[in-house]
């Protein structure tokens, strides 16, 4: 057995010395031509005492203990006569087909990126390419961008592994794991990973061995990974609408995150001591960071974890020397009137996208000093328009634009419009002669993120809407449906998008209609008296007929029902955001 050097690593499975055959041949040839038959052939020094030539470094190839064949698969499930043999082979065949289909998808994406002139061969400048791909895959632009990047790396920078994928030898989830691991590497480093994995018997090794080899390869070539200071970020990672909670992930260098945790812990302990002092002092002492106003009722301070949260969410951010914004950011929560009245527990909607529980919505409404009325179509929830004659949208229009476009209006874009977004005239506004340009109306306005506003200004994307839906023209009516925008992304590529609607309105309409029928029946029952009861079957038939009428009305909405917009907008001094 040869001794390993400190730098050699043993992976799971067996190893082949690919130079063994060549060395055995060289040894046999040397023995035949040796001047002395007593010359030592062992691994020790020669008998003459001369220094032996340095042996070349061995190159190891990872080899599975047994090749993965159909016979081996059948043996694992009880032999060729096993009752599960056919099912196992069918699953194995399906795995290979899924891998090949995944390879086809990556090949199409890589080819699309290669031939699309809008990206100029740069993954960084592939915004327009990603928008077109998002249309085809019905995904977001962010997802399309990630898939384009992965496809390019898979086909161009990992050709050996891609060949295994196309052959069906590399399962799809193996390959996805590989792509995730190399995302932080540059193209040259990814090619080195591909070279390292070329010596691995991909068709036969188990998942654990493959992952170990990938991590080893990445660690070997990734000495120049992005430094921790460039990985600083804060992002919202998830929302649980059933529980009404969300969570934030903060990523950064270990010392900075550790320091933040210690500062939060020290601050929480200080506030906890202050709460104890306030409780001992009695009613006259205010309790700091009392989130729900119940610390005095519970007669004990908040836990340290709750206080860490309170400090993070209730403390003023120190922006010195930068001045804070004049108007604080506000979120929009749409609450059905039936929920406010306690008639039911229909959820509210946060920025038109995220449901929140009814109890939490009622608590928010109880603590809010100003409520805004939102008028919607009772059938499909379309926000009814408001009019204005100036360039800048008024407060009511801007609030409606927030509700109609909670994310950027560009196809596939998912950037929220609460902060970093701009109100855009689809038909450009003429500052010299407003009558000749596009109006400042909800028919001609949408909200775009800064990037897609720039692309529209540059003429790379061109949105348009049906003039018949402009309430300032013709019979002054507009569609009861959500406004449709047609986007031209290139000469022969167009895509349609719809504005966001209030998802709660149709549900609330049904609840209110049911409440009206219940109230009417109760009143009629009192008038008839106990001696003349109403047949329950009649109530069921009436409810069924009302449901059919409501569904027919919804169908009529989808056949271009027209409405007349309401009158002047409400007098609101400041927009609610």
């Amino acid at each position: 057995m040869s001794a390993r050097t400190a730098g050699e690593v043993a992976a799971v499975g067996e190893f082949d010395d690919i130079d063994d055959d060549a060395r055995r041949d060289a040894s046999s040839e040397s023995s035949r031509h040796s001047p002395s038959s007593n010359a030592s052939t062992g691994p020790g020094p020669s008998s003459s005492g001369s220094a032996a030539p340095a042996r070349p470094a061995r190159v190891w190839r990872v080899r599975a203990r047994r090749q993965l064949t159909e016979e081996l698969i059948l043996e694992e499930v009880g032999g060729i006569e096993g009752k599960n043999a056919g099912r196992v082979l069918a699953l194995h065949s399906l795995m290979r087909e899924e891998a090949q289909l995944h390879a086809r998808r990556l090949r199409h994406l890589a080819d699309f990126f290669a031939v699309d002139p809008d990206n100029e061969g740069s993954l960084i400048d592939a915004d327009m390419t990603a928008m077109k791909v998002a249309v085809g895959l019905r995904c977001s632009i962010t997802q399309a961008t990630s898939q384009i990047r992965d496809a390019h790396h898979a086909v161009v920078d990992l050709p050996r592994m891609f060949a295994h994928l196309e052959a069906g030898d590399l399962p799809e989830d193996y390959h996805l794991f590989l792509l995730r691991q190399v995302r932080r590497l540059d193209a040259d480093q990814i090619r080195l990973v591909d070279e390292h994995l070329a010596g691995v018997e991909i068709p036969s090794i188990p998942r654990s061995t493959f992952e170990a080899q990938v991590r080893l390869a990445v660690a070997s070539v990734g000495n120049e990974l992005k430094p921790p200071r460039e990985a600083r970020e804060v992002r919202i990672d998830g929302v649980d609408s059933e529980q009404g909670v969300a969570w934030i992930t903060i990523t950064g260098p270990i010392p900075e995150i550790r320091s933040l945790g210690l500062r939060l812990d020290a601050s929480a302990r200080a506030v906890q001591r202050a709460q104890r002092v306030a409780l001992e002092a009695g009613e006259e002492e205010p309790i700091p960071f009392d989130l729900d106003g119940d610390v005095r009722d519970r007669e004990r301070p908040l836990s340290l974890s709750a206080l860490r949260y309170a400090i993070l969410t209730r403390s003023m951010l120190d922006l010195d020397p930068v001045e804070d914004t004049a108007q604080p950011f506000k979120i929009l929560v749409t609450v059905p009137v039936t929920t406010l009245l306690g008639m039911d527990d229909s959820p509210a909607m946060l920025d038109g996208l995220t449901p929140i529980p009814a109890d939490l919505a009622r608590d928010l409404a109880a603590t809010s000093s100003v409520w805004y009325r939102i008028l919607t179509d009772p059938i499909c929830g379309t926000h009814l328009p408001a009019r204005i004659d100036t360039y800048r949208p008024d407060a009511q229009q801007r609030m409606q634009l927030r509700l109609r476009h909670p994310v950027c209006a560009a196809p596939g874009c998912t950037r929220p419009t609460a902060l970093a977004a701009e109100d855009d005239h689809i038909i450009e506004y003429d500052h010299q002669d407003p009558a000749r340009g596009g109006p400042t109306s909800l028919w001609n306005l949408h909200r775009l993120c800064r990037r897609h506003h720039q692309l529209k200004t540059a003429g790379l994307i061109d949105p348009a809407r049906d003039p018949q839906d402009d309430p300032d023209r013709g019979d002054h009516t507009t569609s009861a449906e959500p406004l449709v925008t047609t986007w031209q992304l290139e000469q022969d590529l167009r895509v349609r998008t719809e504005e966001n609607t209030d998802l709660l309105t149709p549900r609330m309409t049904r609840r209110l209609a049911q409440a009206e029928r219940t109230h009417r029946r109760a009143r009629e029952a009192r008038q008839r008296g106990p001696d003349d009861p109403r047949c329950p079957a009649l109530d069921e038939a009436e409810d069924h007929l009302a449901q059919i009428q409501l569904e027919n009305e919804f169908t009529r909405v989808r056949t271009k029902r027209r409405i007349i917009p309401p009158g002047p907008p409400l007098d609101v001094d400041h927009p609610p955001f």
Side-chain angles (χ1 to χ4, degrees), residues 76-89:
E76 293 292 332
V77 295
I80 195 66
E81 302 297 333
K83 62 180 181 179
N84 289 324
R87 295 188 183 97
V88 171
L89 284 180

Side-chain angles (χ1 to χ4, degrees), residues 241-264:
S241 298
E242 294 183 0
Q243 299 294 326
V245 298
W247 51 92
I248 286 179
T249 298
I250 304 176
T251 305
I254 293 175
E256 294 179 4
I257 298 300
R258 179 62 176 164
S259 175
L260 173 63
L262 292 174
R263 293 200 307 274
L264 272 177

Side-chain angles (χ1 to χ4, degrees), residues 297-363:
D297 295 336
R298 295 189 305 116
E299 298 182 350
R300 66 176 183 275
L302 295 177
S303 65
L304 289 177
S305 60
L307 287 172
R308 294 187 194 100
Y309 174 84
I311 293 169
L312 277 177
T313 56
R314 301 297 176 90
S315 300
M316 296 297 295
L317 299 178
D318 183 10
L319 303 181
D320 186 64
V322 179
E323 294 185 4
D324 199 354
T325 53
Q327 290 198 8
F329 165 74
K330 295 182 180 180
I331 60 176
L332 293 181
V333 180
T334 307
V335 188
V337 66
T338 53
T339 300
L340 290 177
L341 295 176
M343 295 172 56
D344 59 29
D345 288 329
S346 296
M349 296 296 289
L350 175 63
D351 283 331
L353 294 176
T354 306
I356 61 175
D359 290 339
L360 180 57
R362 283 190 280 263
D363 290 342

